[in-house]
Amino acid sequence: MAMCVAVAAIPAVHAGDQSGLQPVISTTGEFLDFDWPAIRTASASYEEGPTGVTVFHFPERAYVAIDARGGGPGTDNAPYMQLGYDIRELDTIVFAGGSWYGLEATTAVASALKDDGIRDGNVFGKDPNLAMSVGSIIFDFGDRRLNEIYPDKKLAQAAFRAAETGRFPLGAAGAGRNARSGYFFGCNAHSGQGGAYRELSDLKIAAFVVVNAFGAVTDREGRIAACYGHPEWPADVHIADVLEHFPASRESGWAVTSGSDEMPKNTTISLIVTNQRMSPADLNRLAAQVHTSMARAIQPFATVGDGDVLYAVSTAELDEPAMYNFDLATLASEVMWDAILASVPEQPQGRVPSEGPLHQPGELAEFAGDYVFSETATLRVTAQGQKLFGHAVGSRNVFLVGKDEPVELLPVSVTGFMVPGRYPMSLEFTAPGTLVVNPGRWQQVGTRR
């Protein structure tokens, strides 16, 4: 997947201070490679979050329509797109994490277009040159990380200036850096961004998506693509299984909720692009049909807890239709399903506790202390004899470790521990005074106070 930053470079960040964060451009991992110079893309992240931003740049501009569904869409410039002007003026589409705060990324990219001399303030004459940047956000706060870092102007402009043709990072990158899916069934699976591309003679179709869905990603055989299922679930669970037994499938004994008492906030933001010229009305119908089709790949889809938004774009390079619009929309729907499936990253697996003692008497006391992850999240580690315990003493839980009472941290190695539960939680003391929770792609780093 995208570049992983060394633990030592990811200290706890205090609220409101992002000045020391450095953008990381996604340059390694899995990519969708495609041949289409009319689309430039880049993804960047703040690994300290982790959270990120994804930019789509159309150097020759394009036509755009929007279809919004679900209970909480967050977008910039949506009303203007809905007016349906037959004007080729779209410069960029920006997807970002950070909930409402991430909308800063959209206007930041517009500013970069002006600052770099690509656009200016002219709105008169035959060819207005005002930058048009639109975008949407996902919610990636809450119980998925221990801080409130968001994609800001610096991160968005770094992504825009790194945009290139023909390569799109898949999985936990860009705006999908800390996405999740399947909260509806308690799956709480890691998700990300996906892409797919199809060429038929001169016709080109590309689909891009960030899946942060309340529902579960479902493959074409009806299997749930990623899920931390309840222990009593079948190993190869199908979406039909949990839907057939709904609502019992969400209750204790059949499935367990994520343990969060906050209102789920989930979203799938997507983009379908074709090079076939389309009228505003046809582009709107393309958006509606492809968006409707996504209910096959994400079940349930567009709930009150989602903020789903789809952008349909025509680069208008192909003047003569290569395909009837309803056929194009049907094919585009299949490409979008491919993109959704490509968004699923490899899921971390739980660690197995040691069967025998690993520490000498008194050694565990070296790990004791208060480890600060942010101004709202602190984990107090205490040693009691030959056992180590964790207790959240900030204003929030530290994943499976709550505020009510200490939880035993079971050893898996001399410096590694785990907390048993439906969702994997690992702890690694990597250096004196440094604790890494869930080492790897979604790690959180605390410093002993």
Side-chain angles (χ1 to χ4, degrees):
M1 308 313 297
M3 183 183 301
C4 187
V5 177
V7 167
I10 314 180
V13 176
H14 292 290
D17 180 15
Q18 298 196 168
S19 59
L21 302 182
Q22 294 301 315
V24 176
I25 306 299
S26 300
T27 57
T28 61
E30 296 183 37
F31 283 80
L32 167 70
D33 294 315
F34 61 101
D35 181 17
W36 200 345
I39 307 173
R40 297 171 60 87
T41 71
S43 297
S45 63
Y46 282 146
E47 289 299 304
E48 293 84 350
T51 188
V53 63
T54 300
V55 175
F56 305 91
H57 180 207
F58 304 92
E60 302 301 322
R61 294 191 142 177
Y63 298 90
V64 63
I66 185 173
D67 189 71
R69 306 194 178 189
T75 66
D76 273 325
N77 290 335
Y80 183 76
M81 287 179 280
Q82 290 169 336
L83 293 174
Y85 292 124
D86 193 3
I87 305 173
R88 182 176 183 145
E89 56 184 334
L90 175 70
D91 285 298
T92 59
I93 294 176
V94 182
F95 293 164
S99 192
W100 301 116
Y101 310 112
L103 288 174
E104 175 181 326
T106 302
T107 54
V109 171
S111 299
L113 284 159
K114 183 180 184 300
D115 293 344
D116 294 355
I118 300 171
R119 298 286 173 244
D120 57 28
N122 178 37
V123 295
F124 303 104
K126 183 178 180 181
D127 297 310
N129 201 39
L130 195 68
M132 182 182 177
S133 181
V134 303
S136 296
I137 47 85
I138 68 167
F139 183 90
D140 60 2
F141 293 133
D143 60 1
R144 66 191 64 189
R145 55 187 170 107
L146 305 177
N147 60 68
E148 294 179 350
I149 294 169
Y150 65 94
D152 57 15
K153 179 177 181 178
K154 179 171 66 174
L155 184 65
Q157 292 190 343
F160 168 73
R161 290 174 176 136
E164 61 180 349
T165 62
R167 283 177 67 75
F168 182 75
L170 304 174
R177 184 66 185 80
N178 210 347
R180 298 285 178 93
S181 69
Y183 270 98
F184 189 84
F185 302 110
C187 291
N188 199 13
H190 290 284
S191 189
Q193 65 181 25
Y197 177 71
R198 196 81 61 92
E199 231 180 271
L200 287 177
S201 186
D202 294 330
L203 178 69
K204 295 181 178 182
I205 300 173
F208 307 97
V209 63
V210 175
V211 179
N212 195 53
F214 196 22
V217 174
T218 306
D219 67 18
R220 286 181 169 85
E221 285 70 48
R223 294 185 296 262
I224 297 179
C227 182
Y228 289 111
H230 188 273
E232 296 183 18
W233 284 19
D236 189 20
V237 66
H238 282 57
I239 194 68
D241 298 327
V242 290
L243 287 175
E244 179 184 355
H245 294 89
F246 182 80
S249 57
R250 297 182 68 192
E251 296 173 358
S252 178
W254 215 95
V256 179
T257 64
S258 67
S260 172
D261 57 3
E262 56 187 72
M263 172 64 182
K265 296 177 177 64
N266 302 268
T267 291
T268 300
I269 45 180
S270 49
L271 165 64
I272 194 76
V273 188
T274 179
N275 64 341
Q276 182 164 301
R277 183 180 292 275
M278 304 184 78
S279 70
D282 289 334
L283 203 54
N284 270 293
R285 293 319 307 161
L286 173 66
Q289 183 171 339
V290 174
H291 215 185
T292 302
S293 78
M294 290 167 63
R296 302 174 300 166
I298 299 171
Q299 299 188 41
F301 185 63
T303 73
V304 69
D306 290 292
D308 303 327
V309 177
L310 180 141
Y311 297 86
V313 167
S314 168
T315 59
E317 299 162 275
L318 197 61
D319 282 321
E320 294 299 321
M323 184 176 286
Y324 291 119
N325 289 332
F326 44 79
D327 291 338
L328 190 156
T330 301
L331 179 59
S333 297
E334 292 304 306
V335 180
M336 182 60 74
W337 199 340
D338 289 339
I340 292 169
L341 294 176
S343 72
V344 182
E346 184 177 354
Q347 305 294 304
Q349 300 301 308
R351 304 172 77 178
V352 179
S354 171
E355 294 182 357
L358 296 172
H359 303 90
Q360 297 298 318
E363 284 185 345
L364 290 176
E366 298 177 5
F367 301 132
D370 286 355
Y371 293 85
V372 180
F373 293 87
S374 70
E375 293 190 354
T376 62
T378 297
L379 180 66
R380 177 166 294 164
V381 176
T382 57
Q384 299 179 25
Q386 288 297 93
K387 293 184 178 181
L388 203 64
F389 293 86
H391 188 196
V393 295
S395 60
R396 60 188 297 178
N397 294 343
V398 178
F399 301 126
L400 297 181
V401 179
K403 297 181 292 182
D404 294 336
E405 59 185 27
V407 174
E408 185 176 359
L409 311 180
L410 303 179
V412 298
S413 68
V414 173
T415 57
F417 297 81
M418 61 86 70
V419 177
R422 179 171 175 177
Y423 312 105
M425 182 175 177
S426 300
L427 304 94
E428 191 76 33
F429 294 90
T430 60
T434 301
L435 172 61
V436 182
V437 175
N438 297 333
R441 295 295 296 132
W442 297 275
Q443 67 188 21
Q444 303 281 273
V445 180
T447 302
R448 187 160 55 191
R449 182 168 54 194

